[in-house]
Amino acid sequence: MQKIVKELQQHVPFKDTTEIGDIVLIAAKEPQMLMYAKVTDIERDPSRKDEWWHVHFSVLSIPLQNMVWTLRTSQMTGEIFTMGGEERFVQAIDFQAEQDEETPEPDQETGTPEMKKPAGKIHSLKRVK
């Protein structure tokens, strides 16, 4: 799972926090899955002494699927954890970082905005076993 997360971190700009309305990337080793979900609510779990949260997700699939996971803050912000004995990873995507890279800059001559071209080569995800 650490190899998968390391590969994802090279290609996806992640946030350090997770808030209501964020799109998160969820990865699991068994069953092997990689999916997006929207965080629809985060509420404190009052039944626990430590800080645990009921995190409500809408999985972006057809049909939409709703699920609630009870997680610590570190588990919803990029720490690899286990659920039912299987490793999981959840972290919010920083879409603002993507927009910052593509911010239009005015053309020197005309003053009209032109999109920056992405620097470097486009890499695809490699399958990690």
Side-chain angles (χ1 to χ4, degrees), residues 8-129:
L8 288 169
Q9 289 171 336
Q10 292 176 4
H11 299 285
V12 179
F14 288 111
K15 292 175 55 178
D16 294 330
T17 60
T18 299
E19 302 166 9
I20 296 170
D22 281 345
I23 302 295
V24 295
L25 185 63
I26 300 172
K29 194 170 183 177
E30 291 294 329
Q32 189 174 14
M33 68 175 171
L34 190 60
M35 62 185 172
Y36 292 104
K38 180 178 180 180
V39 178
T40 56
D41 197 13
I42 301 173
E43 56 188 8
R44 176 98 162 76
D45 182 348
S47 69
R48 298 185 187 228
K49 186 189 262 186
D50 297 330
E51 284 197 26
W52 287 80
W53 306 92
H54 296 297
V55 184
H56 300 250
F57 301 103
S58 284
V59 178
L60 303 178
S61 62
I62 298 175
L64 284 176
Q65 297 178 1
N66 295 313
M67 62 184 186
V68 180
W69 286 359
T70 303
L71 304 170
R72 293 188 319 270
T73 302
S74 61
Q75 293 173 326
M76 63 177 154
T77 56
E79 174 185 280
I80 296 172
F81 61 96
T82 58
M83 185 180 289
E86 300 299 336
E87 291 182 317
R88 302 278 188 262
F89 168 82
V90 175
Q91 194 162 5
I93 298 170
D94 186 357
F95 287 99
Q96 188 61 42
E98 290 288 318
Q99 290 174 355
D100 291 345
E101 290 177 10
E102 298 177 8
T103 303
E105 289 186 359
D107 181 86
Q108 297 286 335
E109 296 172 14
T110 64
T112 58
E114 286 189 9
M115 295 300 290
K116 290 183 190 176
K117 293 187 179 172
K121 217 169 126 179
I122 296 175
H123 300 278
S124 61
L125 290 175
K126 296 177 185 129
R127 185 170 184 173
V128 180
K129 292 184 180 185

